[in-house]
Amino acid sequence: MMSLSSCNSFATDYGVLKLERRSLLAELMSKGVRLTAQRRVLVEIIQTATAHLDVAALLKEAQKREPSINRATVYRTIDLLKKLRLVDELDLMHLNGEKHYYEVKTRRDHLHLACFQCGRIEEFAAPLFEELKAEISRHKGFQIQVVRLEVGGRCSSCRTSATSRKDRKEESPSRNRRATA
Ligand SMILES: [Zn+2]
Ligand SMILES: [Zn+2]
């Protein structure tokens, strides 16, 4: 069973390309959007998050700083950020049911690798992903505004620990044989 703390934290390896997140406050200001103190708290939490957060996690974190913030404030702020295309909404392979997670848009699109075993979410950006987008636009004449690609499977550390568990299992019968011989 995956724990919430191990679940869904950003992995630091971004693949081939470095990911740079956009600055929410600066972009909101440049668009002339005025923020209430409550919304500013939420924007700061989303900006500095070290994991992909869902509404419940956002609300909990926000209420620590500003107890008057309620669920409706969170939803309205997310809607605003989504409309301005400053955040992305993810379902992360539904590892935790129907929850949605939010993250500040990165300057370059990236994909998410979700581990079905430990819940770890890794981010990956690669030139090939950019090429795929260009090919889609070229072939379909489609102007891409949002791309979401999620990959589910087993992360490298879960694979490693599974392998060493298997090794131990394969070792023990031979040790027993030696012991009884
Ligand atoms: Zn894993
Ligand atoms: Zn991400």
Side-chain angles (χ1 to χ4, degrees):
M1 194 59 208
M2 68 181 80
S3 75
L4 261 180
S5 58
S6 73
C7 170
N8 183 26
S9 59
F10 285 130
T12 46
D13 172 25
Y14 292 139
V16 194
L17 301 174
K18 192 113 197 83
L19 290 177
E20 195 193 328
R21 299 213 181 251
R22 300 168 63 160
S23 167
L24 296 179
L25 277 178
E27 300 216 23
L28 286 167
M29 246 153 60
S30 77
K31 290 178 201 295
V33 178
R34 289 186 39 175
L35 291 178
T36 61
Q38 294 179 327
R39 285 190 174 192
R40 184 176 281 265
V41 166
L42 283 163
V43 165
E44 279 166 10
I45 291 169
I46 297 171
Q47 182 79 64
T48 54
T50 53
H52 300 88
L53 300 174
D54 69 334
V55 167
L58 266 168
L59 180 63
K60 197 173 156 209
E61 199 49 47
Q63 283 179 335
K64 282 187 208 160
R65 303 191 206 179
E66 180 58 64
S68 65
I69 293 176
N70 58 32
R71 195 166 278 267
T73 323
V74 178
Y75 278 115
R76 278 199 299 267
T77 308
I78 286 171
D79 277 347
L80 172 75
L81 295 172
K82 263 167 55 182
K83 233 176 265 160
L84 296 170
R85 294 213 189 86
L86 294 173
V87 296
D88 272 332
E89 187 174 57
L90 315 160
D91 53 39
L92 300 177
M93 299 300 287
H94 297 291
L95 284 183
N96 270 313
E98 298 303 308
K99 280 184 189 171
H100 286 132
Y101 299 88
Y102 301 91
E103 70 173 344
V104 182
K105 255 190 180 302
T106 44
R107 300 215 177 266
R108 227 187 278 270
D109 283 313
H110 61 282
L111 45 113
H112 292 97
L113 315 180
C115 177
F116 290 141
Q117 197 168 325
C118 71
R120 191 165 109 111
I121 304 295
E122 287 179 87
E123 299 186 313
F124 192 83
L128 210 56
F129 194 36
E130 298 302 313
E131 280 172 39
L132 174 65
K133 281 162 53 192
E135 199 176 315
I136 292 168
S137 296
R138 222 171 25 241
H139 283 273
K140 304 303 289 181
F142 195 90
Q143 186 194 5
I144 297 175
Q145 291 175 325
V146 184
V147 188
R148 220 180 279 166
L149 181 55
E150 296 179 351
V151 179
R154 205 143 61 126
C155 75
S156 60
S157 51
C158 285
R159 288 186 60 200
T160 310
S161 56
T163 312
S164 53
R165 259 202 313 277
K166 198 168 150 246
D167 286 350
R168 275 199 303 277
K169 248 184 238 155
E170 279 166 6
E171 261 171 35
S172 47
S174 65
R175 256 205 308 271
N176 289 346
R177 265 202 303 278
R178 265 199 302 276
T180 50

